[in-house]
Amino acid sequence: MQTATLQSYVAGHWYGSTPGQLLTSAVDGRPVAATHAEPAAAAEALDYARRRGIPALRALDFQARAARLRALAKYLMERKDALYAISAWTGATRGDSWIDIEGGIGTLFAYASLGANELPSGNLIHEGPAQPLGKQGRFAGTHVLVPRDGVAVQVNAFNFPVWGLLEKFAPAFLAGMPSLAKPATATSYLAEALVRQVEASGLLPEGGLQLLIGPAGELFDRLEELDVVGFTGSADTAAKLRTHPNVVARSVSFNAEADSLNCAILGPDVQAGDEEFELYVREVEREMTVKAGQKCTAIRRAIVPHRLLDAVASRLRERLAKLAVGDPAIESVRMGPLASRAQQRDVAERVELLSRGSEIVFGERDGFAPLGEGVGEGAFFAPTLLLARGTGAGAAVHEVEAFGPVSTLLSYDDLDEALSLAALGRGSLVATLVTADPAVAARAIPVAAAWHGRLLVLDREAAAESTGHGSPLPMLKHGGPGRAGGGEELGGLRAVKHHLQRAAVQGSPTMLAAVAGEFVRGARVTESAVHPFRRHFEDLAIGESLLTHRRTVTEADIVAFGGISGDYFYMHFDEIAARGSAFGRRIAHGYFVLSAAAGLFVSPAPGPVLANYGLESLRFVKPVGIGDTIRARLTCKRKIDRARRRDATGPGEGVVAWDVEVTNQDDAVVASYEILTLVARRG
């Protein structure tokens, strides 16, 4: 059978035709592809990304790039079956492939939604509010975030060729940085198939995503100051790349997510018959067997109370004995092989090291016989559970990771000892605490948080919806301290901001408003001859403002509002008690002031303003008493064009944020806030 030669995608074309390293199926060892022998075109790829990719991405804004991500996710989801077929060569079961393929596409959807709902139009994010730096309000400072003028270089691991590529690409693309992906060679055939689909979609601007197959060549020698490296892999490789002379000399941003000795602690409150006991056992077994344990988040150390050590060991042995291992094409198979024979040898060597201080509770000797034809040439490895009693494990269990279906049981006498054992891993991506007692969680989590990037507290209540110990999610950070690499991936807006450059800006409020693209308090306003609520989205200008007429607050207002709201708090109704308060008098309800301000600035007739759907940063600054006179200033603060994120035809609408300041007869601010409205575009 002719073996396809994989190609790199660089500078808008596919290249590589001479077969290089042979890549084989993890299931039966037959050849499935070969890398190309031509040297990596790292210099050409970086140059193309800088010359063509950066301008092309910057011609779009956050909202437009979010729309492209959503369209790409839909395109890939419609073609996922082709990726599933290739994923089978990696040894992944259908469930394993679902995590990789649909989990990766789902991450695109998540970042598309984040961009559409959280990011502004344009290519600058204002991190306000501006801070006054002078006594007269004429000098202020704030922070802005802008896309880096660099390339996002993404080095991915072999275990998740699709998800690993897409979870790095999505926030970089949304931030406006072109991506250069370098997949692990062992499963690069699946990454190449993914990028071919992306390229065929025509949805990315030129240079938005490039692919390097095979060795990286001079890639790290060519990096520049504003580039960003995202790495997933072993802690040893991360250390080598992080200390590359060019990376150090140019202070290149380097984010590492490395394999780690993650743990799961069974709480001291749990008994053998409890639901939490079974939850713990199932979680450990799942993390041993999903992706054949080839997950950077897998549970490597299962830490249980000493009194339950044998019970947990026995229950895990029962479950592992029923596990069907073999060719994932067989319907009954729940665990496939490791990704390669090289990985198989590496795991065997590490299990041998671990077993010197531990006993094997379950392993190859327990009737391991993979199902399927030709599996003798595959990369199968028996699920292996070790048990370290007392201090017999020595340092190996806290230092050596077997990156496969391998976990070690450890015991503790009290919670402090359990937390100390967890910390001996010197930093991990995730730890799980299974407990039914909130007091145990409240005591353990603040201690464990210092050494773990993510913490799952699992009980019977959370179990119904829990995504599990080993599932990173787009809205939460993925990374950990120490051995885990010290980096952060995912995390929603945090991941996007990682690809942006933050700068402090100082100047007059008017200048800051011009730079930030949104109104800054103290800046010059444009007094509107037409009520701002009468303008369509396109016609509104930032800084367009309305100063309302005045209203004097009466006792009747307070009584009426109390009757409508049911709020009879003494400060509003008890004259004697109010005199003895810090205010020295009866005051109006804060929410009356808010409502009265709306009455001052709202235009009641039907018009472009469709709905008020949010209120942010509300502060009641000074009390408003009977006889005080208030007025409001309504100013167009920020606009977000939502038309491009919708599939429907028609003008659509935009989001307008309005700055509101309510002042009294002395021009002192009594309340300030921001309201969000949907405003129609012109029909």
Side-chain angles (χ1 to χ4, degrees), residues 460-477:
R460 66 191 70 184
E461 181 181 350
E465 295 184 317
S466 173
T467 51
H469 167 98
S471 299
L473 299 171
M475 63 289 295
L476 297 178
K477 65 161 278 190

Side-chain angles (χ1 to χ4, degrees), residues 346-556:
D346 181 76
V347 173
E349 291 171 1
R350 291 171 183 267
V351 167
E352 197 279 326
L353 290 173
L354 289 169
S355 64
R356 293 176 188 177
S358 307
E359 60 183 275
I360 295 180
V361 175
F362 187 89
E364 187 175 12
R365 67 190 181 194
D366 294 283
F368 180 59
L371 304 175
E373 295 183 7
V375 293
E377 300 301 317
F380 292 90
F381 197 92
T384 304
L385 179 67
L386 299 101
L387 187 154
R389 297 184 184 275
T391 58
V397 71
H398 304 298
E399 294 177 357
V400 176
E401 179 181 24
F403 200 73
V406 181
S407 189
T408 301
L409 284 167
L410 300 166
S411 66
Y412 70 88
D413 290 323
D414 58 37
L415 186 57
D416 288 338
E417 184 182 7
L419 295 170
S420 296
L421 288 170
L424 289 177
R426 310 307 297 174
S428 77
L429 297 170
V430 56
T432 287
L433 172 65
V434 178
T435 178
D437 187 349
V440 171
R443 181 181 165 197
I445 295 303
V447 177
W451 284 105
H452 308 282
R454 177 168 57 87
L455 295 161
L456 168 65
V457 182
L458 185 61
D459 64 359
R460 66 191 70 184
E461 181 181 350
E465 295 184 317
S466 173
T467 51
H469 167 98
S471 299
L473 299 171
M475 63 289 295
L476 297 178
K477 65 161 278 190
H478 178 47
R483 178 189 173 110
E488 295 186 8
E489 294 180 358
L490 300 176
L493 199 55
R494 294 176 182 84
V496 179
K497 289 184 176 181
H498 176 71
H499 296 86
L500 302 173
Q501 178 64 41
R502 180 179 287 105
V505 183
Q506 297 167 283
S508 69
T510 299
M511 290 299 177
L512 295 185
V515 170
E518 67 177 52
F519 176 71
V520 173
R521 284 181 184 164
R524 289 194 296 268
V525 299
T526 302
E527 300 290 353
S528 179
V530 177
H531 194 294
F533 278 18
R534 310 308 308 162
R535 295 192 185 277
H536 287 87
F537 180 82
E538 302 97 315
D539 302 326
L540 268 170
I542 302 297
E544 193 166 351
S545 185
L546 171 72
L547 183 62
T548 71
H549 58 282
R550 297 180 177 87
R551 172 174 178 167
T552 299
V553 178
T554 67
E555 182 178 21

Side-chain angles (χ1 to χ4, degrees), residues 6 15 55 61 112-113 133 172 175 298 303 312 317 356 413 446 448 450 560 595 645 651 659:
L6 303 179
Y15 90 95
D61 67 0
S113 179
L133 301 176
I303 304 171
V312 172
R317 180 183 172 88
R356 293 176 188 177
D413 290 323
S595 300
R645 80 172 193 156
D659 180 80

